[in-house]
Amino acid sequence: MRKLLPLIGTPSGSHPGGRSAMTCRFRCGDACFHEVPNTSSNEYVGDVIAGALSRRSVMRAAAVVTVAAAGAGAAGVANAPRAGAASPAADGTAAGTSAGTQSGSGGGARGLRFSPVAPNTTDAVVVPDGYRQNVVIRWGEPILRGAPAFDPERQSAKAQAGQFGYNCDFLALLPLPGERGRQLLVANHEYTDEVLMFRGYDSADPTREQVEIAWAAHGLSAVVVEEDRGTGKLTAVPRHHLNRRVTATTEFRLTGPAAGSELVKTSADPSGTKVFGTLNNCSGGTTPWGTTLHGEENFNQYFANGSRATDKRYGIGTGATERKWERFDKRFDLAQEPNEAHRFGYVVEFDPYDPTSTPRKHTALGRFKHEAATVRLTRDGRPVVYSGDDERFDYFYKFVGSKRMKKGSSRAVREYNMTLLDEGTLYVAKLTGDSPAIEIDGSGKLPADGEFDGSGEWIPLATATADGAVSHVDGMTAEEVFVFTRLAGDKVGATKMDRPEDIEPSPVTGKVYVALTNNSNRGVGTNAKADEANPRNANKHGHVLELTERWNRPESTRFAWSLFLVAGDPNDPATYFAGFPKDRVSPISCPDNVAFDPYGNLWISTDGAQLGSHDGLFGVATRGARRGELKQFLTVPNGAETCGPIIQDRRVLVAVQHPGEVDGASVEKPASTWPDGPGKLVRPAVVSVWRADGRDIGV
Ligand code: FEO
Ligand code: CA
Ligand code: CA
């Protein structure tokens, strides 16, 4: 029997997904305490739509016009305990992995030859022996000209608008031609933890200044970073002309088939094309044409007084919001601006090379709780974008563009490429298992054929062209499909998944990996029961799906699938590591963001791990004899989630999101002192990790 480490802070059983109550409250508006929004049996939902639309003016016809229209922190820096130390294993084996095969740099697949970090509850970023780290940038560090140094006792919205935002999630590192030793970092700022930001915060009565600071702490940051010669250390370059903040009040252009429709018009924007701000940007992607994509995820929590049927399908509450923004800007009050929420929940595209560019919201990729958006190209140069809808029992999607990418970096070419995601077809995934249903008993026990696997199809929902858009869903116009995409998925019988998070195609094999983080409601009450693609009831630890598109072509509408990982404690029979011996892998729980290294190994970060250890970053081989060999590379501090992994030859970059987010914690009573040590405010930050000997990661 494996003995679990004592839990730090919370994960209490009453908070599904293992999060602290504070995470539930600020991150996703207590999504797990509301009813499961997908009550469809994937049957006719015409009555829902009719209710949703009854108060709106008559829809346009199906044809829709495409709009032209610090060095290492003072605290919290640690290397992994030596083999055997801090192991959760009662039998004394190190880190739940076999000694011998994984210790030192000699074992493991190329790119994964490091000593795995043992599960632990250290208030630090813990990295393998022989690795070093530095904090690249923290919440509040000034990045724009004129922004003041961070002073939490004198914070203002104006200051925050020039400083790095809160709760960094997705990260992109882009080349910076002509500036040797520098790269351009783009980060998402998903949400704010007001009780950890403001001394004496009163959630019943936030001040206007606090609210406006929170608006300025959401959004995106672009900041140039400089490499240290000979190490993987990165430091921010303040006041660089490419540095930029995008916040909850920055002007965006709504583009694609639903832009300009009645569904997205408001009293402040009768054109239905101009939106202020982006919210809850979770993960994202980098396009082959040099822009970044950012998923607007739990946007529902920012809107008060939702009352329509579609609001409920998106989890929008009928009362006041947690942050009370509706008191300070009526657009957050749906009783006053009923369409404002229809302008959030999209994939955002941002051009970090042009600080004057207006970022876009692409309606052709649909509206749902986009976790991320990952792009690859067809052989003839058209974009294919994968995106998961992070909600229990919701779906994952693919967009296949119809326009080819142009090469080049002129302004005209960049402008053209930023229209690529406006035309194409949006699909939703339907999966079928190949084992008899009776063999899927909800325990995670493998069926007789030895695999959770089967076939799948991408079901078309709507197609957007330069001349208009066409719906493929009976009873819904194209505009409705793009704005109420969840309802379209319900109608066509998409497969209800266990919270689809990040999706990433392997640059080496073309196989596509989908992180399904958990779903403690699977099989509970009247909710959907386990199926072959989601084979565990009360799924606490999540799983990772592997798709093989037919002919290995991303535009295919058919695919084969299998479960690559079924996460948890390897001693739990209900786990599966692609068939690799389970006594030789690290425990993992709640896979969230995924990335590939240059060798084709999949790296997985976790959020809300349920095994008594802090969240972490793991690498796993996807090919060859070591396929399924999973090793923990780092862990993050108290209350934090690991985000934004980027794996370069000589550097691993992670975003440490919401450190100290533990029930009962506040500025006065911090649950973490990361990254700057006792007496300093806990701050979300980006961390770079590299090898002390200067060699490549994991070789
Ligand atoms: Fe923001 Fe689905 O995690
Ligand atoms: Ca099977
Ligand atoms: Ca995430």
Side-chain angles (χ1 to χ4, degrees):
M1 276 283 289
R2 189 173 295 269
K3 186 174 73 186
L4 297 182
L5 290 175
L7 300 180
I8 280 203
T10 42
S12 85
S14 61
H15 286 266
R19 291 168 167 169
S20 72
M22 198 194 295
T23 304
C24 296
R25 179 178 157 204
F26 288 112
R27 147 88 64 80
C28 40
D30 282 331
C32 292
F33 292 100
H34 302 150
E35 286 171 30
V36 169
N38 191 354
T39 55
S40 74
S41 49
N42 288 334
E43 61 204 6
Y44 178 66
V45 290
D47 51 339
V48 178
I49 293 173
L53 299 182
S54 60
R55 283 177 227 168
R56 286 187 213 107
S57 51
V58 178
M59 295 286 105
R60 268 193 256 169
V64 182
V65 177
T66 300
V67 164
V77 171
N79 280 97
R82 298 246 168 229
S87 169
D91 60 8
T93 57
T97 63
S98 72
T101 53
Q102 291 205 341
S103 60
S105 60
R110 186 167 173 79
L112 299 177
R113 293 173 192 153
F114 52 82
S115 305
V117 166
N120 68 79
T121 51
T122 306
D123 189 26
V125 173
V126 181
V127 300
D129 276 341
Y131 284 75
R132 299 288 180 266
Q133 60 178 298
N134 84 304
V135 174
V136 180
I137 188 165
R138 300 157 173 78
W139 162 51
E141 289 188 28
I143 60 174
L144 301 190
R145 202 173 292 280
F150 182 62
D151 181 349
E153 306 297 342
R154 285 186 192 76
Q155 183 64 320
S156 69
K158 185 160 178 266
Q160 178 66 74
Q163 298 168 336
F164 196 66
Y166 203 79
N167 271 350
C168 35
D169 195 308
F170 169 72
L171 302 175
L173 263 183
L174 301 163
L176 209 48
E179 297 201 37
R180 236 177 112 195
R182 289 180 167 182
Q183 300 185 69
L184 181 52
L185 174 70
V186 180
N188 277 356
H189 302 297
E190 185 174 4
Y191 67 102
T192 44
D193 275 303
E194 279 76 358
V195 295
L196 302 183
M197 296 168 69
F198 305 119
R199 186 179 296 283
Y201 180 70
D202 179 358
S203 62
D205 192 21
T207 66
R208 172 171 284 279
E209 189 69 29
Q210 288 169 336
V211 166
E212 292 188 355
I213 290 168
W215 291 346
H218 276 71
L220 322 175
S221 288
V223 56
V224 171
V225 290
E226 193 153 70
E227 300 162 6
D228 182 43
R229 273 196 168 184
T231 76
K233 182 176 174 181
L234 289 176
T235 45
V237 180
R239 298 183 295 281
H240 192 282
H241 73 278
L242 290 180
N243 289 1
R244 187 174 177 190
R245 281 301 323 282
V246 169
T247 72
T249 56
T250 302
E251 183 178 332
F252 278 71
R253 193 189 308 164
L254 198 63
T255 71
S261 83
E262 293 300 323
L263 297 173
V264 295
K265 289 180 180 171
T266 64
S267 61
D269 175 30
S271 75
T273 61
K274 189 161 101 174
V275 182
F276 289 101
T278 185
L279 293 171
N280 216 261
N281 302 89
C282 192
S283 195
T286 304
T287 68
W289 53 93
T291 61
T292 52
L293 302 180
H294 310 265
E296 293 187 314
E297 197 190 21
N298 293 296
F299 65 91
N300 55 304
Q301 64 180 300
Y302 302 96
F303 294 96
N305 304 320
S307 59
R308 298 177 290 201
T310 48
D311 293 343
K312 290 182 189 63
R313 185 65 180 84
Y314 283 86
I316 297 173
T318 52
T321 64
E322 167 65 35
R323 294 182 182 81
K324 316 288 188 296
W325 290 1
E326 64 274 15
R327 295 182 188 172
F328 302 94
D329 186 341
K330 71 169 189 170
R331 71 189 176 116
F332 296 112
D333 180 354
L334 298 184
Q336 297 190 65
E337 277 294 358
N339 284 348
E340 185 70 18
H342 298 165
R343 293 142 62 89
F344 292 82
Y346 295 105
V347 169
V348 161
E349 184 171 12
F350 174 65
D351 181 356
Y353 293 104
D354 178 2
T356 67
S357 64
T358 302
R360 320 286 165 93
K361 295 194 182 195
H362 287 296
T363 62
L365 276 61
R367 174 173 167 267
F368 46 89
K369 294 185 180 179
H370 285 279
E371 167 74 20
T374 317
V375 187
R376 62 175 170 158
L377 294 176
T378 62
R379 288 176 199 189
D380 62 356
R382 292 175 292 128
V384 173
V385 187
Y386 299 89
S387 190
D389 184 354
D390 182 6
E391 185 93 56
R392 295 167 294 167
F393 303 107
D394 255 293
Y395 314 131
F396 64 98
Y397 299 81
K398 177 168 93 169
F399 170 85
V400 180
S402 53
K403 291 164 71 173
R404 294 182 189 182
M405 183 184 108
K406 287 185 181 166
K407 293 199 170 134
S409 58
S410 69
R411 181 174 281 254
V413 167
R414 296 185 68 75
E415 268 296 316
Y416 171 84
N417 284 337
M418 281 184 79
T419 68
L420 292 175
L421 303 184
D422 290 336
E423 293 175 31
T425 298
L426 181 64
Y427 299 86
V428 68
K430 179 170 186 161
L431 285 71
T432 307
D434 70 358
S435 292
I438 191 136
E439 293 182 12
I440 310 299
D441 65 4
S443 73
K445 183 175 158 226
L446 286 171
D449 71 355
E451 268 198 291
F452 298 114
D453 62 345
S455 58
E457 61 179 311
W458 292 106
I459 305 174
L461 298 176
T463 299
T465 71
D467 301 321
V470 177
S471 169
H472 307 301
V473 180
D474 285 346
M476 292 181 79
T477 67
E479 287 169 331
E480 291 164 1
V481 169
F482 289 115
V483 177
F484 305 124
T485 310
R486 283 184 165 181
L487 299 180
D490 295 345
K491 289 197 82 171
V492 301
T495 300
K496 295 176 174 178
M497 305 298 293
D498 287 350
R499 292 187 54 203
E501 298 254 22
D502 203 356
I503 303 178
E504 193 81 28
S506 165
V508 174
T509 65
K511 289 179 189 290
V512 179
Y513 294 81
V514 184
L516 296 146
T517 202
N518 61 51
N519 183 353
S520 49
N521 276 35
R522 171 75 59 182
V524 173
T526 58
N527 292 316
K529 294 196 174 7
D531 57 28
E532 196 161 352
N534 302 277
R536 288 187 298 196
N537 288 327
N539 179 10
K540 275 167 56 174
H541 301 301
H543 50 286
V544 177
L545 181 72
E546 181 184 71
L547 307 185
T548 307
E549 305 265 29
R550 183 181 274 188
W551 312 119
N552 202 15
R553 295 205 171 178
E555 67 272 37
S556 298
T557 56
R558 304 249 166 203
F559 56 88
W561 63 267
S562 66
L563 296 198
F564 174 64
L565 291 179
V566 181
D569 183 325
N571 285 344
D572 176 351
T575 58
Y576 177 75
F577 293 77
F580 196 79
K582 293 203 281 182
D583 58 345
R584 293 163 60 188
V585 300
S586 297
I588 182 172
S589 176
C590 301
D592 187 344
N593 301 148
V594 286
F596 277 91
D597 67 20
Y599 314 99
N601 301 306
L602 181 69
W603 290 64
I604 304 169
S605 64
T606 67
D607 173 17
Q610 280 284 278
L611 292 169
S613 170
H614 282 180
D615 278 311
L617 177 66
F618 303 77
V620 58
T622 61
R623 295 181 299 153
R626 293 185 181 272
R627 175 177 156 89
E629 185 179 29
L630 179 127
K631 298 167 72 170
Q632 177 148 249
F633 183 77
L634 61 73
T635 52
V636 293
N638 296 354
E641 151 188 11
T642 319
C643 291
I646 296 176
I647 320 300
Q648 298 184 321
D649 291 343
R650 299 209 167 177
R651 177 183 297 107
V652 171
L653 208 66
V654 290
V656 176
Q657 191 181 174
H658 57 77
E661 191 181 68
V662 168
D663 288 353
S666 61
V667 169
E668 296 79 3
K669 269 179 32 192
S672 169
T673 60
W674 191 86
D676 295 318
K680 299 282 172 54
L681 201 58
V682 59
R683 291 161 78 181
V686 176
V687 170
S688 180
V689 183
W690 66 92
R691 259 172 87 153
D693 62 10
R695 298 180 61 207
D696 286 357
I697 301 291
V699 300

